[in-house]
């Protein structure tokens, strides 16, 4: 689509961003802001056409959780070993896709089986931009199961410390968009009964798997997920801790029953 700069105004931009979902609209608006700055440098003296433009907030999407068996099923359905391993890494580390893309060889501690999340990648106009993590708490250490550690160890062989650890089959930075488009992701999701599964749901699945393992309370889960506060964790995953309330109630039942028995005797 080609539009003369003279025809672009806030109304046109608003209509343009309204045509896309929230994440795409925000990226498009950022590109248009940059385009306006470039136009000003070239002598264009029009008003800022992005001023006052609002991005529509997408309604919340229902989180979907895979258990470890379904994760393995999904991974096995992808024809490429690299794509299968991408699913396993995301589902068993809880990293955001941008964090996986920006992970460097030096960020992987093979001896202690720890990932140090220090950076994140975003893609604007097809160009990768590496920056600090989403929040200060997003900078974190993630313990890694041995199966995933083996995958990361193999990826790190003969690689320089500053190179990206998990790359595409062409040796370039890993992109979730390309992975989803060419890996057979949609067909595999449909095959396991989750046709609307998003890649980000692998992160939600990690939270559920960790919780079901019984090895993580709320503070620990919040820490490994890299949330800005424990409130974020409660808002997102509080439902995963309903069993704690059931256990509490059963414990009180047992205690009350014991005391009632002592009183009756």
């Amino acid at each position: 689509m080609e539009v003369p700069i003279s025809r672009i105004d806030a109304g046109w931009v608003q209509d343009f961003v309204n045509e896309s979902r929230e994440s795409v609209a925000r990226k498009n608006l950022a590109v248009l802001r940059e385009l306006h700055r470039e136009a000003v440098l070239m002598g264009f003296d029009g008003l800022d056409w992005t001023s006052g433009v609002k991005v529509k907030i997408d309604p919340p999407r229902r989180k979907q959780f895979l258990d470890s068996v379904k994760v393995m099923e999904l991974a096995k359905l992808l024809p490429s070993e690299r794509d299968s391993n991408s699913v396993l890494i995301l589902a068993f580390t809880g990293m955001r896709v941008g964090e996986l893309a920006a992970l460097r060889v030096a960020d992987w501690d093979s001896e202690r089986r720890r990932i140090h999340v220090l950076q994140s990648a975003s893609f604007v106009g097809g160009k990768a931009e590496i920056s600090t993590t989403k929040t200060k708490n997003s900078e974190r250490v993630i313990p890694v199961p041995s199966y995933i550690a083996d995958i990361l160890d193999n990826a790190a062989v003969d690689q320089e410390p500053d190179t990206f650890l998990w790359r595409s089959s062409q040796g370039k930075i890993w992109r979730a968009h390309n992975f989803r488009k060419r890996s057979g992701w949609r067909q595999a999701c449909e095959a396991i009964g989750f046709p609307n599964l998003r890649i980000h749901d692998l992160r939600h699945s990690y939270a559920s798997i960790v919780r079901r393992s019984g090895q993580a309370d709320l503070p620990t889960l919040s820490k490994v997920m890299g949330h800005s506060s424990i409130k974020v964790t409660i808002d997102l995953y509080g439902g995963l801790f309903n069993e704690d309330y059931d256990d509490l109630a059963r414990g009180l039942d047992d205690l009350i029953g014991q005391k009632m028995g002592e009183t009756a005797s």
Side-chain angles (χ1 to χ4, degrees):
M1 178 177 57
E2 294 184 4
V3 180
I5 287 182
S6 59
R7 289 184 53 191
I8 300 178
D9 57 20
W12 184 93
V13 173
Q14 185 67 73
D15 290 341
F16 179 67
V17 299
N18 284 347
E19 294 176 356
S20 304
R21 66 181 188 273
E22 182 183 350
S23 60
V24 176
R26 292 191 184 281
K27 290 179 181 178
N28 289 341
L29 189 57
V31 171
L32 287 168
R33 286 197 178 105
E34 182 61 30
L35 179 61
H36 179 266
R37 284 193 287 268
E38 293 292 331
V40 169
L41 292 175
M42 296 172 63
F44 177 73
D45 59 357
L47 296 175
D48 181 359
W49 52 59
T50 64
S51 178
V53 173
K54 304 293 185 183
V55 173
K56 292 188 299 183
I57 305 299
D58 290 342
R61 297 183 64 175
R62 184 174 65 88
K63 294 186 289 294
Q64 299 187 79
F65 302 95
L66 303 183
D67 60 22
S68 57
V69 174
K70 283 293 184 183
V71 168
M72 297 300 290
E73 287 181 13
L74 176 62
K76 288 179 180 178
L77 286 170
L78 301 182
S80 161
E81 182 180 14
R82 181 177 295 274
D83 291 336
S84 296
N85 287 342
S86 296
V87 167
L88 297 176
I89 292 170
L90 290 169
F92 293 128
T93 68
M95 281 190 290
R96 301 174 178 92
V97 293
E99 293 170 345
L100 175 58
L103 193 67
R104 299 186 184 275
V105 173
D107 301 329
W108 166 234
D109 183 346
S110 176
E111 184 176 347
R112 300 186 63 226
R113 296 197 337 227
R114 299 286 191 271
I115 289 173
H116 295 261
V117 179
L118 304 174
Q119 300 180 114
S120 183
S122 58
F123 300 89
V124 179
K127 182 181 179 181
E129 296 183 359
I130 309 299
S131 59
T132 55
T133 52
K134 187 177 180 180
T135 66
K136 183 61 179 175
N137 284 355
S138 294
E139 187 174 303
R140 64 198 187 279
V141 177
I142 301 174
V144 174
S146 58
Y147 185 81
I148 303 302
D150 289 343
I151 294 173
L152 297 179
D153 280 343
N154 289 333
V157 172
D158 296 330
Q159 300 300 319
E160 294 296 325
D162 199 44
T163 58
F164 293 121
L165 176 61
W166 195 247
R167 293 170 292 171
S168 71
S169 56
Q170 291 78 35
K172 299 179 180 179
I173 189 169
W174 186 84
R175 297 172 184 251
H177 173 76
N178 292 345
F179 161 78
R180 184 172 53 244
K181 185 169 62 174
R182 59 165 175 71
S183 67
W185 168 264
R186 186 54 56 210
Q187 296 90 330
C189 291
E190 291 174 355
I192 66 168
F194 287 79
N196 298 315
L197 190 76
R198 300 170 299 159
I199 295 177
H200 192 71
D201 286 322
L202 296 176
R203 176 169 160 83
H204 296 321
S205 298
Y206 171 78
S208 176
I209 292 167
V210 167
R211 175 54 191 155
R212 288 179 181 178
S213 74
Q215 301 301 311
D217 55 15
L218 263 170
T220 302
L221 181 60
S222 182
K223 188 173 182 179
V224 296
M225 294 298 288
H227 290 154
S228 58
S229 69
I230 197 169
K231 180 181 182 302
V232 174
T233 312
I234 293 172
D235 289 344
L236 286 171
Y237 304 120
L240 299 178
F241 289 80
N242 285 338
E243 291 181 3
D244 287 0
Y245 292 99
D246 296 336
D247 292 341
L248 176 61
R250 282 192 290 268
L252 288 172
D253 283 340
D254 292 343
L255 180 62
I256 293 171
Q258 179 183 351
K259 294 300 182 183
M260 292 292 287
E262 291 175 356
T263 302
S265 61

